[in-house]
Structure formats: C-alpha cells, structure tokens
Amino acid sequence: METLEKTSLAAQALEQGQGILRLAPTWVPRSFCVPGRRIKLHPDDYYVLGGNRGGIDERWLSSTTPAKNGPLTGENEGLSKVVFNDGNNEEQILLKDAIDELKGALIGDRLWNEHESWPMYSKFFDNMGPLPHHIHHNDEHAAKIGQLGKPEAYYFPPQLNNHGGDFPYTFFGIAPGTTKEQIKECLMNFTKGDNKLTMYSQAFPLYPGTGWDVPPGMLHAPGSMCTYEPQKASDVFAMYQSLVNEAIIPEELLWNGTPPDRIGDYDQLMEVIDWDLNANPNILETRFMRPKPVRALEEMQAEGYIENWVCYLSDAFSAKELTVLPGQTVTIKDSAAYGLIMMQGHGKMGVWDIETPALIRYGQLTNDEFFVSERAAMEGVKITNTSTTDPIVMLKHFGPQNPDMVL
C-alpha cells in the first residue's frame, strides 16, 4: 500500500506542477564545522539538532544522495523531499522515490537508461573557517570500496556572500617543484600535530560571482566563502591535512575511502593523488571559471533575461545562473532536467509562485526550490518577474553531459 501511495503521489505531484516539482529545504549539520550563518536559516536554528550533531552549515539541493554523518545521522538526512498539496492535505515524498517511480518521465530517458538514478546533487556549504586539505577519489579508486568517484565545482553566489568568513582563500593542487616524497612525508606525519601539507600548496582568493572546477584526484582545501557546489552523486573523500584552524582532524579520516586491506599503506594514499593534475603550474588558467553567457548578451537582454554558465568544465554536471529582468516575462528552454534554487526576487514560474525568503525556520516550507522534468525543460518554462525593481535570480543544476553545453 505504501508503494502505491508513493507512486500515486509522485505522479500527481508531477501533473499538478505541470512537469515541475516543488521541493522542501534539506538541512545538513557538520560536527567539525562552525556555520557561517549565510544560508538564511533562523539564528535560533543553526544548532537545533543538538550540540553533539554540530551546527547546520549546509543545505542540500535536488539530492537523492544520503548524507554520511556517522552513527548519529538522522533518517533520510541529506535527501530532498517533494511537497504535494492536494488542496486538503500537504504530504512529502522523497525525490529519490519519485525518480525511481517516474524514471524517464521525470529525468529523461537519456539519464535514466544510463544511470537509473539522478546522478548529481548540489549544495550550499557555509563554513565560517577553512576546511582541511582533502581529496576525492576517482571512479577507479572509489570502486575499490563500492562507491563512485566525485568531481565537484564551486560557485560563490553574491547574494549569500555579504562577508567572506575567516579565510576566503582556497588551496588547490601542489606547488610546482614539490616532490612525491615531500607529500608522502606529510601524510606519514599526520598524527604528529600539523603535518604542514599547506607548505606544498598554493591558495587563491575567492571572489563572489566566480567559481572553480575540482576534478577527482585533486588536493583542495575550501575557503570560507558561502559556496554553491554542484557535484557527482557520491560522498567519497579522504582528509590529507591533520590540523586546520587549530582543530585536529581524526586519523580515521585520513584512511576514509581506503580499502580495508590497504589501511596503513601510505603508497595507497599517494596513488589517489592525480600528480599531473595537482602539479600543473597553470591551475588558475585551467580550473578557474568566470561566468560565460549562453547566448549573445545583447540578444538575451532584448528578450528580458541574462543566463550564464557558471559551472562548465566537468562532464558529470553543469550549472547556470538565470536572471529575469524586472517586469519581464520569458520562456526558457533547456534540453535536460534540472534542479533550481532561487537566489533573489519573486514572481511566477509555470503554475508556481516563486520567491526568495530572507529567513527560514528549520522545518519550514519555502517556495524557492524546484525540480524541472526534462519534458517541461524542453517545452520551455515560463517565468514572470512581477517586481518593477528586483531581478529574479536562480541557479540551475544539471546532470551529466548536458546537450546544451557547447562553449
């Protein structure tokens, strides 16, 4: 009976939204982070799950990937939910269950036939301080522990970065001239306090309205900007830095992602590093992303909108920033399903009212997050900006190999 109910609700929700699903906010705590308090959660709610869970410093978007937060992880933590209102009752079902039921009718046959899932998600991560140097495994290494590899990308939305936090710089890669022996020595010194890994890296300042591409196998230590982060649907990682912001990183996180029979083998940790990628002297030129217009700027402005690619260097996902100018009505077509999050403004999108809340209580529903089916995207989404002064701005996250991404 439960399966029938979910099937019915998923189909009804898709029909009610005319191909666009409304999603509930999905909040995720991190015990080892201090929230930057820029993701619009009410000040009383950043520690609403209790001190042992840590502060809420992430909001996950269009997620069918469960959060891995240790033994205290809540049920369905990290999983997005579809909101369905039949006029009398408001019910929620997991986006994952809706996709498993509706398959290609929701995400398109191209993605369903290849992945049988929604193969990416995005998030806001909002840390007051820097994160430790860490690495995400590629598909080959992740497969050894039954997971997928994890490419990711960053974009720093101006609307969420009224301040840069304590350290708005991100370390990427390995400084030219560094030897493998030097990096291996840092890893072997992990339990001796500061293993000084950042001695062999380089940091870049972070600027709102720009982004970075982070392939698997690349060492990186994210800075304290509030970050929009599209990524492959995976949670594989290992921490390679032992101390950050005067906080000690547990040694177990160094071996996270390592096959059990190779724990303690530092050569295995070195194999995860893509040396050519990390030692590239042109990281700024090859991994930094400035927004790129999807069409000629003058043509878009004449039609009432501006749309830019903001994440475009990975074939595992992509992301756009859409701005609808005040007082304008536009119809935007895409060739793939996508999730979206409102960053600014209010108006109408299809049958839905859309708005950007200034403050959200934990558990409160919003009208700022949606999932657009492939069919609705291809037919075109009609958006009306009812404000005479405020633009509508939204971020749109797509799955792998977006047919429109020709740069």
Side-chain angles (χ1 to χ4, degrees):
M1 190 69 188
E2 182 183 1
T3 302
L4 288 174
E5 184 181 354
K6 286 180 180 176
T7 301
S8 174
L9 287 177
Q12 289 179 66
L14 190 64
E15 181 179 4
Q16 180 191 68
Q18 295 183 11
I20 302 176
L21 300 175
R22 178 189 176 204
L23 303 183
T26 302
W27 307 103
V28 175
R30 296 296 193 190
S31 60
F32 52 85
C33 296
V34 176
R37 298 176 180 264
R38 291 164 294 193
I39 50 176
K40 303 180 182 178
L41 192 60
H42 190 283
D44 291 346
D45 291 349
Y46 279 101
Y47 292 90
V48 70
L49 298 176
N52 57 347
R53 295 301 321 277
I56 293 173
D57 68 340
E58 296 186 356
R59 179 176 174 181
W60 288 25
L61 309 167
S62 301
S63 172
T64 60
T65 303
K68 296 186 177 179
N69 265 338
L72 298 178
T73 303
E75 184 181 6
N76 297 328
E77 194 162 287
L79 296 175
S80 293
K81 292 182 178 179
V82 177
V83 180
F84 174 67
N85 191 323
D86 65 3
N88 298 311
N89 300 302
E90 201 157 56
E91 300 187 65
Q92 297 184 27
I93 58 172
L94 293 176
L95 176 62
K96 181 183 186 304
D97 290 343
I99 290 172
D100 288 344
E101 170 57 35
L102 300 173
K103 303 179 173 61
L106 183 49
I107 66 171
D109 291 337
R110 176 181 65 88
L111 288 181
W112 178 259
N113 292 341
E114 183 170 351
H115 301 278
E116 295 190 346
S117 66
W118 176 240
M120 68 85 64
Y121 67 108
S122 193
K123 68 169 71 165
F124 294 131
F125 72 77
D126 174 40
N127 303 313
M128 185 62 77
L131 287 179
H133 244 303
H134 63 277
I135 198 164
H136 301 293
H137 306 61
N138 63 20
D139 283 333
E140 177 187 353
H141 286 290
K144 296 175 182 178
I145 58 166
Q147 293 199 47
L148 297 171
K150 184 180 175 180
E152 61 189 26
Y154 307 149
Y155 177 69
F156 311 113
Q159 295 86 354
L160 298 185
N161 280 292
N162 58 313
H163 68 88
D166 292 342
F167 192 80
Y169 304 84
T170 289
F171 288 92
F172 291 108
I174 295 169
T178 303
T179 66
K180 293 183 179 180
E181 289 73 22
Q182 288 171 316
I183 298 298
K184 185 177 179 181
E185 182 181 10
C186 289
L187 300 180
M188 295 176 71
N189 287 336
F190 195 90
T191 59
K192 299 178 182 178
D194 184 0
N195 67 347
K196 298 182 173 62
L197 188 63
T198 53
M199 277 286 295
Y200 303 106
S201 187
Q202 47 198 332
F204 298 87
L206 307 180
Y207 295 104
T210 68
W212 290 83
D213 179 63
V214 187
M218 184 173 187
L219 281 164
H220 57 291
S224 55
M225 277 275 185
C226 187
T227 303
Y228 169 72
E229 184 186 21
Q231 57 205 270
K232 193 170 177 176
S234 170
D235 202 21
V236 66
F237 71 92
M239 295 292 186
Y240 279 21
Q241 183 181 355
S242 60
L243 182 143
V244 66
N245 228 20
E246 300 307 315
I248 291 289
I249 309 303
E251 187 188 9
E252 64 197 58
L253 294 181
L254 173 67
W255 301 105
N256 193 55
T258 299
D261 62 337
R262 296 199 66 179
I263 290 177
D265 183 350
Y266 293 94
D267 289 330
Q268 164 66 20
L269 300 179
M270 292 297 298
E271 289 171 17
V272 173
I273 301 173
D274 184 328
W275 194 262
D276 291 339
L277 178 70
N278 282 271
N280 178 2
N282 300 313
I283 285 178
L284 178 63
E285 290 80 2
T286 56
R287 305 265 70 93
F288 180 67
M289 293 183 293
R290 293 180 177 85
K292 292 190 175 184
V294 302
R295 295 171 53 200
L297 190 59
E298 298 77 12
E299 292 178 14
M300 291 189 289
Q301 287 177 322
E303 295 178 19
Y305 74 99
I306 299 169
E307 190 166 43
N308 291 315
W309 293 104
V310 293
C311 296
Y312 47 78
L313 291 179
S314 174
D315 63 2
F317 53 79
S318 57
K320 293 178 180 180
E321 180 185 66
L322 171 64
T323 300
V324 180
L325 301 176
Q328 298 294 312
T329 295
V330 300
T331 298
I332 304 296
K333 294 184 178 182
D334 288 281
S335 299
Y338 58 92
L340 71 88
I341 179 71
M342 291 283 294
M343 302 305 301
Q344 186 174 342
H346 67 279
K348 196 86 174 175
M349 180 179 67
V351 301
W352 296 105
D353 293 323
I354 55 174
E355 59 194 15
T356 310
L359 198 63
I360 309 170
R361 295 304 305 243
Y362 185 86
Q364 177 186 342
L365 295 178
T366 57
N367 292 317
D368 69 341
E369 186 181 356
F370 298 86
F371 191 92
V372 179
S373 68
E374 182 188 75
R375 180 175 177 179
M378 295 179 75
E379 290 177 350
V381 176
K382 182 180 178 181
I383 303 169
T384 298
N385 187 344
T386 54
S387 173
T388 59
T389 57
D390 199 21
I392 285 175
V393 182
M394 63 178 70
L395 295 172
K396 301 159 61 173
H397 24 278
F398 299 82
Q401 298 172 330
N402 188 333
D404 294 328
M405 199 169 64
V406 180
L407 298 172

